Amino acid sequence: MSALGRSSMRCSNRLGEIDEGLYSRQLYVLGHEAMQRLAKTSVLVSGMKGLGVEIAKNIILAGVKSVTVHDLGNAQWSDLSSQFFLSESDVGRNRAVASQQHLAELNSYVSVTAYTRELSESFLAAFQVVVLSNSPLEEQLCVSDICHARSIRFVLADTKGLAGQLFCDFGENFVVNEPSEAEPVCAYVQHISQGNPGVVTCRDGQGHGHGFADGDFVTFSDVEGMSQLNGCKPRAIHVLDEFMLEIGDTAFFAPYQRGGVITQVKVPQLYSYEPLRAALAKPKIKAMDDRGHSLHLAFRALHAFVAEMGQLPRPRAQADAKRLLELARGLTAHQELLDEGLVRTFAHVSAGELSPMAALLGGLAAQEVLKAASGKFLPLAQWLYFDALECLPKQGTALLTEESCAPRGSRYDGQIAVFGADFQEKLGRQKYFVVGAGAIGCELLKNFAMIGLAAGKGGSITVTDMDTIERSNLSRQLLFRQRDKLKSETAAAAVRHMNPMTRVTAQPHHVGPDTETLYGDDFFTALDGVANALDSMQARAYVDGRCIRYLKPLLDSGTEGTKGHVQVIVPYLTQPFRSSMDLMESAVPLCTLRHFPSTIEHTLQWARDEFDGLFKVPAENLNKYLEDPAFLEGQWTTQDLEGVRSSLQEKPRNWQDCVCWARQHWESLYRHAILNLLHAFPPSHETSPGVPFWAGPKRCPRPLEFDCDNSTHMQYIMTAASLFAQTHRLQVPRDRAAARETLRAMAVPLFQPEVGVRIPVTEEEMEEAPAGVDEEQLAALKQELAEHRRALLEGGCGSSHRMEPIHFEKDDDSNSHVDFIMAASNLRAANYGIAPADWHKSKRVAGRIVPAIATTTAAVAGLACLELYKLVWGHQDLGSYRNSFLQLAEPLLARFQPLAPSATYKYGHETWSCWHRVEVPGISTHGEELSLQELLDQLQGVHGLPVRTVLCGVTILYASFWAKQKREAQLARRLTQLVSGPPGAAWQPPRILVLDLVCEDQQDDDILPPVHVQLPCG
C-alpha cells in the first residue's frame, strides 16, 4: 500500500463522513472540526422568496446535516425576479414545496424537506439554527423568544428593494472556537526583560513590527536562556508599540540569552446576545456609515405600515411614502438622527424583489448560519443594515413614476417596482461577455437570468470557459451536477432553464492573445460590457486591457475564503483593474528558500521546486537531448548538461536502484547540505562582534540522521523512489519491505565539506554570485554527450532511454505527488526546527489552491450586479459607483468610491489617462483607405504630432532614420498593406488598427497615447 493510501485511510477514519473530494476548497476555509460540527446541524429556513432560497442554497452546498424549508405562501409573479428555483408554471404553488426538489439536488449529503404549516415551539425544538426571512414582526418576536429560551441560534434576514437587514441572536453563552480566518501571527524575539510585566521586543520576518493586537494570546518556542517560556500556556499580551509588548510576570525566569519565536494562539471566546425583542429597542448596529440607524427605524416602520395597511408601500406612491415617514418619526425621540430622504426613498422601493440584493444578504446570512453551526469565525453583533439606493437614477423622480413601476404580470415585476419598465427593456437589450464559468461565473449568470439581462430583443450573453467540471466544484457552484461535463455549456443550459428568455451562448475557449481571432474587434465593439470571473490575475489583467482598448466597462470580482472584492471599471471615469491590483505574487527570496527558511510555507515551496527539479525538468531535458540534433548548440549551463549526463547514468534497472537513488538524495539534502551550511556558518558565527548570525528569522539548522523506523523518512524514500521509477518508465512493485532491506544493506558516502564554495546570504549576493563558467569543461561535456548520443542512436537504444516528465497534479490524490512534497517539506522543516504541515496544508500551499466557499461567492456576485444596474443606467457620476471589499469571517463589508484614473500618457505639458487614444478615421475624404503618408499628415495637421517612428506592436512600420527610398516606399503604402500577413496566408484585416508613436520633439518622460485608426474593413 502506498504512503498516500495509508494517509487517506487515516484521514477517512478520523474525518468520518466528510467527503474531502467534494468539500476540498471549503475545508481550507472552515477546517475539519468545523465541518464535522456542520454535518451535525439541522437548520430551518423560513421564507422561500429570493432571499430565503439563497440562504438555503448556500448552507446546503456547505454541507449541514439537514435543511427544512418553510413557507405558508404561494409563488407570485414578482417572486420570479429573484427566486431562481421557481418557474412561471410554479405561480400559485407553495414556494417551499416548489423549491424543495431543486434544493435537494444541490448536495446528496444534506436532507432537504419542505414544511407548510404554522411554526410551533415543538416544531422549532428540532433545530439547532432557525432562519427567518420575509416574516412579519409578530412572528419574528415569537420565534426569537422561543429560540432564545431554548438556546437555538436565531438569524433574521430581510431585503426590501435596495435595502436589507440582518440580525443574529446566538444565545447568552455562545462559544466561538476560532474567531478569525487569518493565520496566527508570528514574530522573532529580539529581547525579553525580567520583570513584572516582562517586555518582549520582537519583529516580523521582514524586520517590520510584530503585528499583534492588544489582548491576543501568545506562546513561545526556541527561546534560549529564558526557557521557561518555551511551550508555555497561552499568555495575554498588552501591546506597547509596534515592536514591544508586555507578557506578564517574568521576574523569576532565567535571563534571556537569544533567539525565540512568539506565536499567536487562538483561544475560544464566549459571547452573549440579546433576543430580538430587546435588540429592537436598543440596537447594536454594525453599519458602514450613519445610515444604519435610519434604516433600522425604516424597517420597523415598514412592519407597522403593513400591519396598518395590509400591504407594502406602493412603488413611487407619495402618500404611502409620507405615511411610512410619519411612522418612522413616531419610533424615535431623536428626530435629528433620522434621514428623512432615505426613509422616503426606502418606501418607494420597498415593494421590490431584487436578485442581487438577495444574493448579497443571502451570502451574509448563510455565513452567520455556518458560524452558528460550527463556532468558527466571529458572529455579527447583532444588527447589520445595507442599502444600495445609489443604484437609482439621479433624476429618479422624473424617470420613475407609479405608472412606470406598477406590476405588469411579468416575471420581472419585483424589479420593475424598483427601476421601472423602461429600464427592464434596456436590461433585455444588453450584450455582455462573461469570462469564466466557475463559482463566481455561475452566480453572475444566475443573477443575470433573474434580472432579465439579455432576455429581450437584441440582447446576448456570451460565456466562455475551457474547463470541465470537477467534483470539488460542486460544493460552491449551484448550476453544476455530478453528471455534467463542460462548465460553460452546463452553466448556459442551467440559466436558460431558470429564465427561458435569456439569450446566452456558451463557448469552450480561454481568453488571451491566441484567441483574438475569436474575441477581436467585431466581437468587443458590439458589447455593452464584460464581467470577469477568473482566478488568474494575469488573465484578469488581459481582459482589462481589452476593455481599455475597446472602451468597455468591466465588472471584476474575486474571492479567497471568506474574503471577496468587486471592482467596477468605467471608461474615462475610473482606474483600470491593473492600476489597483498587484499582479505579481510576492516572491520569497531565493536565498531564503535555499538556505534560510523560517516558515513551513518556505519549506513547502522548496519541496515543490524539488519536485520539478527531480521529476520534470531532467526528463524534459533528456528527451530534448535525444530528439533534437541541435540540442547541444543551445545556451545550456554546465549544471544543465551535467543533469542530462546524470539522467543517463542513473537509469535504474529495478526497484532497489530506485530506493538507492532516493536514499542518496535524502542524505545529500537533509544531512550533507546542512553540514556544509554549518561548516560555512557555525552555530556561534557572528555577523559582527556581539551580533549572532543565527538570529531572528535565520534559524540555525541541524542535520538529520536517517532512520528506517521514522515514518516521514520512509515516506520520502517510498514516494521519491516511486516517482523516479515512473520518470524512467520502469514498472516495478513499490515494495516497502524490500526497500527496508535495501536501505539497511547500503552504505552512503561520508560527508566531505565543500571547499571554496561561497553561500550567498542575501538576495543581492545571490544576484552578484559569479556564473563561474569553465568554457573548456563545458566544451568537453558537450563533446562527451554528443558522442554518447551518437552511440545510443547507432545502437538503436535512444527510445529506451527516453524519460517521462511528471507534471505536478494536485487533484489526483493517488499519484503520490502531494505525499512526496509533504515528506520533503517536513524533513526540511525538521532541519530548521519548523513545525510540520499536515497533508491538507501541504496540498493547499504546493498546489496554490485558493480556499473557497459558496457564501462569499454569492455575496460578491450580488455586489457586482448592483454595479451592473448603474452601468446599464449609464451613470456618469463617479460618486454613484462602489468598489467593495468583504470579509464574512469578521463580518466586514466596506464599500468605497472608485478612484479616478491617473495620468498614464504625457506629451509636452498635456497628460491623459489610460482611456485616452488618438482616434483617426482610416478613410480619406475621397472614400479611399489612408496611406501611411496621409495618416502622418493628419496626425501632424489635426493633432499636432510630428511623427518620427510608427510601431504596430513590436513591428516598426516607419522610422525617419531609414534611407530615403525605403521611407518613400513605405509612406506610399495603404495601412492594411503595412500590417497584412505573410504572402499566401489567410488573414483577416482588423477593424481597428492600433499604433504607437514616437514624435520628433518627444522628451524622455513622454509617453504618447496610442493611435486608433478605424479601417474600412473588418
Side-chain angles (χ1 to χ4, degrees):
M1 182 183 293
S2 70
L4 178 59
R6 292 193 314 279
S7 173
S8 295
M9 182 175 290
R10 290 195 302 268
C11 218
S12 175
N13 290 340
R14 185 176 68 251
L15 301 178
E17 297 300 318
I18 293 178
D19 184 336
E20 296 186 15
L22 176 64
Y23 297 118
S24 63
R25 303 305 187 261
Q26 182 175 293
L27 279 165
Y28 291 123
V29 181
L30 298 180
H32 291 98
E33 291 183 6
M35 282 291 297
Q36 287 175 317
R37 287 191 285 267
L38 280 188
K40 299 174 182 177
T41 302
S42 297
V43 183
L44 169 69
V45 181
S46 177
M48 278 293 105
K49 289 194 170 189
L51 176 58
V53 78
E54 280 282 356
I55 297 169
K57 174 259 293 181
N58 291 332
I59 61 177
I60 290 168
L61 289 172
V64 296
K65 177 183 179 181
S66 68
V67 172
T68 299
V69 293
H70 167 258
D71 203 307
L72 299 178
N74 294 331
Q76 303 171 5
W77 280 106
S78 60
D79 296 334
L80 303 186
S81 61
S82 60
Q83 221 284 25
F84 46 85
F85 281 152
L86 294 179
S87 64
E88 294 182 7
S89 63
D90 290 319
V91 173
R93 291 183 67 204
N94 179 273
R95 297 187 191 95
V97 173
S99 305
Q100 181 270 333
Q101 183 59 40
H102 298 292
L103 289 167
E105 291 176 355
L106 292 173
N107 192 337
S108 61
Y109 290 109
V110 181
S111 171
V112 181
T113 56
Y115 185 73
T116 59
R117 300 171 63 182
E118 294 284 350
L119 298 178
S120 66
E121 183 169 357
S122 60
F123 179 74
L124 293 171
F127 301 97
Q128 286 79 52
V129 185
V130 169
V131 184
L132 294 187
S133 69
N134 190 40
S135 173
L137 180 60
E138 181 180 353
E139 182 182 54
Q140 292 176 5
L141 292 170
C142 177
V143 172
S144 168
D145 289 344
I146 293 170
C147 289
H148 193 82
R150 287 180 167 267
S151 297
I152 300 169
R153 275 79 81 190
F154 175 75
V155 176
L156 168 66
D158 206 357
T159 61
K160 298 299 179 189
L162 285 163
Q165 69 173 177
L166 180 60
F167 171 79
C168 295
D169 169 19
F170 293 173
E172 296 175 7
N173 296 288
F174 183 74
V175 177
V176 178
N177 296 292
E178 194 170 335
S180 72
E181 185 177 21
E183 291 289 326
V185 177
C186 178
Y188 297 94
V189 177
Q190 309 293 311
H191 184 263
I192 307 174
S193 69
Q194 288 177 295
N196 190 7
V199 176
V200 178
T201 305
C202 53
R203 301 170 183 266
D204 71 4
Q206 286 72 48
H208 305 139
H210 50 64
F212 293 103
D214 220 33
D216 280 349
F217 285 81
V218 300
T219 189
F220 292 81
S221 60
D222 301 330
V223 175
E224 295 184 27
M226 198 176 285
S227 57
Q228 294 91 336
L229 287 174
N230 290 329
C232 66
K233 292 181 180 179
R235 288 177 163 238
I237 62 169
H238 172 59
V239 173
L240 299 176
D241 59 31
E242 61 177 325
F243 295 104
M244 301 176 70
L245 48 86
E246 295 176 346
I247 60 166
D249 191 358
T250 62
F252 299 102
F253 290 173
Y256 173 80
Q257 292 178 5
R258 67 175 184 178
V261 179
I262 178 172
T263 304
Q264 180 188 22
V265 178
K266 296 184 179 181
V267 299
Q269 298 177 8
L270 185 65
Y271 289 87
S272 179
Y273 296 86
E274 296 282 350
L276 178 62
R277 198 176 297 274
L280 276 172
K282 295 181 179 179
K284 299 175 183 177
I285 299 175
K286 186 178 183 70
M288 297 173 294
D289 48 39
D290 56 4
R291 298 161 71 90
H293 178 75
S294 294
L295 285 169
H296 183 73
L297 295 173
F299 270 91
R300 289 184 63 190
L302 189 65
H303 285 295
F305 184 96
V306 173
E308 179 182 293
M309 308 295 291
Q311 63 178 26
L312 291 167
R314 293 163 296 169
R316 295 290 159 181
Q318 299 302 323
D320 288 0
K322 180 181 178 182
R323 179 55 185 152
L324 186 75
L325 179 58
E326 290 171 353
L327 292 169
R329 286 172 180 156
L331 292 171
T332 179
H334 302 285
Q335 300 293 322
E336 71 281 359
L337 298 178
L338 183 65
D339 185 334
E340 296 191 354
L342 173 64
V343 176
R344 284 195 191 92
T345 306
F346 172 80
H348 289 321
V349 302
S350 61
E353 294 275 350
L354 300 178
S355 178
M357 288 296 298
L360 171 60
L361 268 295
L364 295 171
Q367 189 66 53
E368 296 305 309
V369 173
L370 300 185
K371 294 174 185 178
S374 67
K376 183 76 175 266
F377 304 142
L378 191 64
L380 172 66
Q382 286 187 257
W383 289 98
L384 182 143
Y385 284 94
F386 173 88
D387 78 88
L389 296 174
E390 77 281 353
C391 291
L392 295 168
K394 291 293 183 184
Q395 63 277 36
T397 305
L399 288 178
L400 303 175
T401 64
E402 282 192 68
E403 182 180 356
S404 68
C405 297
R408 273 127 171 98
S410 157
R411 67 174 298 126
Y412 308 116
D413 278 353
Q415 188 164 259
I416 290 171
V418 178
F419 295 121
D422 290 345
F423 180 76
Q424 190 61 52
E425 290 184 10
K426 194 172 184 181
L427 275 170
R429 295 192 297 269
Q430 295 294 298
K431 297 180 178 66
Y432 258 75
F433 185 28
V434 179
V435 189
I440 294 177
C442 284
E443 288 287 341
L444 287 173
L445 288 167
K446 175 260 293 178
N447 290 343
F448 288 174
M450 292 296 97
I451 69 176
L453 188 79
K457 185 177 180 180
S460 69
I461 298 171
T462 301
V463 56
T464 187
D465 197 312
M466 65 186 295
D467 287 347
T468 54
I469 296 166
E470 299 175 354
R471 182 163 173 74
S472 63
N473 301 143
L474 303 180
S475 67
R476 60 192 189 283
Q477 297 174 7
L478 83 158
L479 304 183
F480 301 158
R481 301 295 179 267
Q482 185 72 52
R483 62 183 178 272
D484 298 325
K485 301 300 181 185
L486 194 64
K487 284 185 176 181
S488 58
E489 291 180 358
T490 302
V495 296
R496 278 194 294 267
H497 182 76
M498 289 178 172
N499 182 353
M501 298 302 292
T502 303
R503 300 165 186 257
V504 56
T505 302
Q507 295 184 352
H509 310 298
H510 83 106
V511 179
D514 55 339
T515 55
E516 288 181 4
T517 54
L518 291 170
Y519 308 118
D521 295 343
D522 290 339
F523 179 82
F524 270 94
T525 300
L527 294 175
D528 291 299
V530 179
N532 258 351
L534 297 164
D535 290 334
S536 164
M537 301 297 276
Q538 286 72 23
R540 289 158 73 177
Y542 172 81
V543 174
D544 174 66
R546 302 297 278 175
C547 290
I548 293 173
R549 173 170 177 153
Y550 297 104
L551 297 177
K552 300 301 176 183
L554 172 65
L555 295 167
D556 185 85
S557 310
T559 69
E560 182 180 357
T562 69
K563 297 189 287 290
H565 82 272
V566 173
Q567 183 181 357
V568 57
I569 295 150
V570 189
Y572 295 110
L573 205 60
T574 71
Q575 280 190 346
F577 170 82
R578 63 190 180 198
S579 295
S580 55
M581 300 295 290
D582 179 7
L583 301 184
M584 300 302 294
E585 297 181 7
S586 55
V588 180
L590 196 56
C591 63
T592 299
L593 291 179
R594 285 190 179 178
H595 305 299
F596 309 112
S598 59
T599 69
I600 195 65
E601 286 75 16
H602 294 162
T603 66
L604 282 165
Q605 181 58 58
W606 175 88
R608 177 67 182 83
D609 295 341
E610 274 288 298
F611 184 95
D612 283 351
L614 293 175
F615 309 121
K616 175 176 171 282
V617 175
E620 291 175 338
N621 288 346
L622 181 69
N623 292 346
K624 291 175 186 175
Y625 159 76
L626 292 172
E627 296 164 2
D628 183 2
F631 173 82
L632 294 172
E633 299 171 11
Q635 299 298 312
W636 300 103
T637 65
T638 303
Q639 184 178 359
D640 293 329
L641 297 184
E642 285 177 343
V644 173
R645 182 170 62 183
S646 294
S647 295
L648 292 166
Q649 294 172 343
E650 292 171 343
K651 182 175 174 60
R653 297 160 299 171
N654 50 43
W655 174 239
Q656 286 72 20
D657 286 352
C658 297
V659 171
C660 289
W661 175 89
R663 175 66 180 89
Q664 288 166 355
H665 266 274
W666 191 102
E667 192 74 9
S668 172
L669 294 172
Y670 304 112
R671 184 162 181 80
H672 290 189
I674 300 302
L675 289 169
N676 266 317
L677 184 60
L678 292 173
H679 179 74
F681 304 108
S684 59
H685 185 73
E686 295 181 340
T687 53
S688 59
V691 180
F693 176 84
W694 296 106
K698 282 194 180 71
R699 293 170 171 262
C700 185
R702 65 177 182 86
L704 302 184
E705 291 277 358
F706 183 77
D707 181 0
C708 283
D709 295 324
N710 184 298
S711 59
T712 305
H713 294 198
M714 281 303 296
Q715 184 181 29
Y716 179 91
I717 298 297
M718 293 297 295
T719 55
S722 297
L723 293 167
F724 184 65
Q726 183 182 336
T727 63
H728 285 277
R729 302 188 297 167
L730 181 64
Q731 299 295 322
V732 291
R734 277 59 166 168
D735 190 327
R736 179 175 288 264
R740 285 180 181 274
E741 290 181 15
T742 301
L743 291 168
R744 290 193 174 101
M746 71 177 291
V748 294
L750 295 175
F751 170 68
Q752 294 291 332
E754 294 181 0
V755 179
V757 176
R758 179 170 172 266
I759 297 176
V761 175
T762 65
E763 198 70 358
E764 292 74 20
E765 290 183 10
M766 289 285 294
E767 294 172 0
E768 293 168 3
V773 178
D774 186 330
E775 295 293 346
E776 189 173 324
Q777 179 188 5
L778 184 60
L781 184 54
K782 285 185 176 181
Q783 183 176 353
E784 176 190 341
L785 288 172
E787 292 173 356
H788 193 85
R789 179 179 182 276
R790 190 180 308 112
L792 285 173
L793 296 179
E794 289 175 356
C797 300
S799 60
S800 66
H801 280 75
R802 280 182 52 81
M803 294 176 66
E804 177 186 331
I806 301 178
H807 297 269
F808 177 70
E809 174 50 62
K810 66 182 183 297
D811 290 321
D812 180 358
D813 292 352
S814 66
N815 61 17
S816 296
H817 296 187
V818 175
D819 290 320
F820 170 81
I821 287 173
M822 180 179 74
S825 169
N826 285 344
L827 287 167
R828 189 160 175 83
N831 280 139
Y832 286 88
I834 299 168
D838 62 16
W839 190 85
H840 296 280
K841 179 162 187 175
S842 300
K843 178 177 178 177
R844 178 174 67 83
V845 176
R848 298 182 178 179
I849 295 174
V850 179
I853 191 168
T855 51
T856 314
T857 306
V860 159
L863 288 166
C865 289
L866 290 174
E867 299 309 306
L868 173 67
Y869 284 142
K870 304 167 192 177
L871 293 174
V872 176
W873 275 120
H875 285 196
Q876 287 304 307
D877 179 6
L878 185 63
S880 296
Y881 292 97
R882 299 288 184 272
N883 289 341
S884 302
F885 172 79
L886 59 85
Q887 187 165 8
L888 300 185
E890 298 293 330
L892 169 69
L893 172 56
R895 302 175 78 219
F896 43 90
Q897 179 179 305
L899 295 174
S902 56
T904 302
Y905 304 116
K906 173 183 175 293
Y907 180 56
H909 298 293
E910 193 169 357
T911 60
W912 303 272
S913 77
C914 65
W915 297 105
H916 192 83
R917 70 280 316 278
V918 178
E919 294 185 334
V920 179
I923 304 175
S924 69
T925 54
H926 304 295
E928 296 179 345
E929 182 187 332
L930 292 182
S931 68
L932 180 57
Q933 179 66 68
E934 290 171 323
L935 173 64
L936 298 190
D937 291 344
Q938 277 207 40
L939 291 171
Q940 171 79 66
V942 178
H943 301 282
L945 299 173
V947 177
R948 185 173 69 202
T949 307
V950 180
L951 298 98
C952 182
V954 296
T955 304
I956 299 177
L957 302 183
Y958 171 80
S960 60
F961 57 79
W962 283 350
K964 181 180 179 182
Q965 184 177 359
K966 183 177 180 180
R967 290 202 314 271
E968 290 177 349
Q970 194 78 340
L971 289 168
R973 299 178 72 187
R974 301 295 178 188
L975 295 178
T976 51
Q977 294 175 328
L978 295 173
V979 295
S980 62
W987 178 72
Q988 178 67 35
R991 177 187 292 272
I992 302 170
L993 181 60
V994 180
L995 303 173
D996 293 310
L997 306 180
V998 179
C999 287
E1000 295 289 353
D1001 55 351
Q1002 189 167 328
Q1003 302 298 311
D1004 289 343
D1005 62 342
D1006 285 350
I1007 303 176
L1008 285 162
V1011 174
H1012 283 221
V1013 184
Q1014 301 287 333
L1015 295 175
C1017 48

